[in-house]
Amino acid sequence: MRATTIQELVLQGANLVCEEKLQEACNFHKDIIKALRSYLDAAGQNTVLPEMNQMVIVFQPISDQDSHVSPAWDEEKFAFPFSFVVQESILLSNEEHRVDQNKIVTACASVCLFNLGLCSQMQATDQKEDCGAGLRNAIRFYKRAWATLQPIISGLDGSTPATTLIFLMAICTNLSNCYYHLGELDSARCWFNFLKECVNFFRPSLEGDVGSDTLCFFRVRSSGNDSSIAAAAA
């Protein structure tokens, strides 16, 4: 399974989410995850493609229009699905920028899980009534995306790519929002606090590499949710 093939499949799935073909998107992403599992079972957990050794992973939110992603500042959740690309590293001598096949598979799985979470969250929002089951499905997928991503983000620091930070903050934002609407305010606050820490600590990196609309969205989410959670708890 080549990286270009994986990227193309994930992009197709993300486009289905953008088109709000949510059930089709869910099935498509689940099929990708099944294919990844079959590939790892057949190839072995430590498979590395030599031509992938000098690559870096870039997470990309996808818009339904041929333009940059522009989340509304007052949107409750990060409503854009993700894809990813594998790019050649400029710092070829830096071991931290070497990406083996396992990390490509990890990136793909985490993106698919996030997109499944977003589909579940959007379906729950559309239901309005009795949306609890959909929100819990979304939480399950988002938390699995977070856990799957840990090998890539285990050493977060000032050199962490801004696109990785955006992906992390999108997970935190949507988890906090799901828990908030379920009335589980302690859990909502936990993910909100992590979002706030990311925005504050990584602000220099974000300001240089992230679009102003996206940065504004996460700033508002990291400053506004606390008062909403506190008011709901009162």
Side-chain angles (χ1 to χ4, degrees):
M1 181 180 291
R2 295 185 60 82
T4 51
T5 303
I6 300 175
Q7 293 171 62
E8 290 165 0
L9 289 171
V10 174
L11 181 57
Q12 288 179 43
N15 285 331
L16 288 173
V17 181
C18 289
E19 295 167 9
E20 297 191 14
K21 299 177 180 178
L22 300 181
Q23 192 55 54
E24 185 178 353
C26 284
N27 295 336
F28 194 88
H29 283 95
K30 287 177 181 178
D31 286 343
I32 296 175
I33 292 174
K34 288 178 183 177
L36 290 176
R37 287 173 178 163
S38 297
Y39 169 75
L40 289 176
D41 288 342
Q45 295 292 329
N46 296 317
T47 298
V48 178
L49 295 184
E51 65 268 26
M52 293 297 159
N53 280 348
Q54 308 291 353
M55 301 289 177
V56 292
I57 291 171
V58 178
F59 295 98
Q60 292 185 328
I62 303 299
S63 173
D64 60 351
Q65 300 177 354
D66 294 330
S67 60
H68 68 285
V69 169
S70 300
W73 66 269
D74 58 347
E75 179 69 45
E76 285 191 340
K77 63 181 178 294
F78 192 83
F80 298 90
F82 276 83
S83 183
F84 76 98
V85 295
V86 181
Q87 296 181 342
E88 186 172 352
S89 175
I90 297 174
L91 303 175
L92 295 181
S93 61
N94 189 338
E95 292 293 332
E96 293 180 359
H97 288 263
R98 294 175 179 263
V99 179
D100 65 24
Q101 182 72 346
N102 283 344
K103 287 191 176 180
I104 294 171
V105 172
T106 295
C108 178
S110 60
V111 165
C112 286
L113 288 165
F114 175 89
N115 291 350
L116 283 165
L118 181 59
C119 286
S120 296
Q121 191 174 8
M122 292 170 70
Q123 288 171 326
T125 302
D126 290 342
Q127 289 175 352
K128 298 184 185 301
E129 297 181 2
D130 193 26
C131 63
L135 291 176
R136 293 200 182 280
N137 272 337
I139 288 170
R140 179 168 59 91
F141 286 126
Y142 286 140
K143 292 180 81 170
R144 287 174 63 188
W146 181 270
T148 302
L149 197 61
Q150 292 310 302
I152 293 179
I153 65 171
S154 57
L156 284 178
D157 56 29
S159 66
T160 302
T163 56
T164 301
L165 299 174
I166 293 299
F167 189 37
L168 288 173
M169 293 191 297
I171 296 173
C172 293
T173 298
N174 290 3
L175 274 168
S176 181
N177 181 256
C178 287
Y179 277 121
Y180 174 78
H181 284 289
L182 286 170
E184 299 181 17
L185 303 182
D186 287 341
S187 295
R189 185 178 289 108
C190 175
W191 288 101
F192 163 76
N193 286 339
F194 196 92
L195 169 65
K196 189 173 183 179
E197 289 175 9
C198 283
V199 171
N200 291 338
F201 184 80
F202 295 108
R203 180 168 293 183
S205 300
L206 294 169
E207 287 179 343
D209 297 322
V210 175
S212 58
D213 291 339
T214 300
L215 185 56
C216 177
F217 168 81
F218 285 114
R219 281 179 172 172
V220 170
R221 295 274 58 79
S222 65
S223 60
N225 281 8
D226 197 28
S227 57
S228 298
I229 294 171

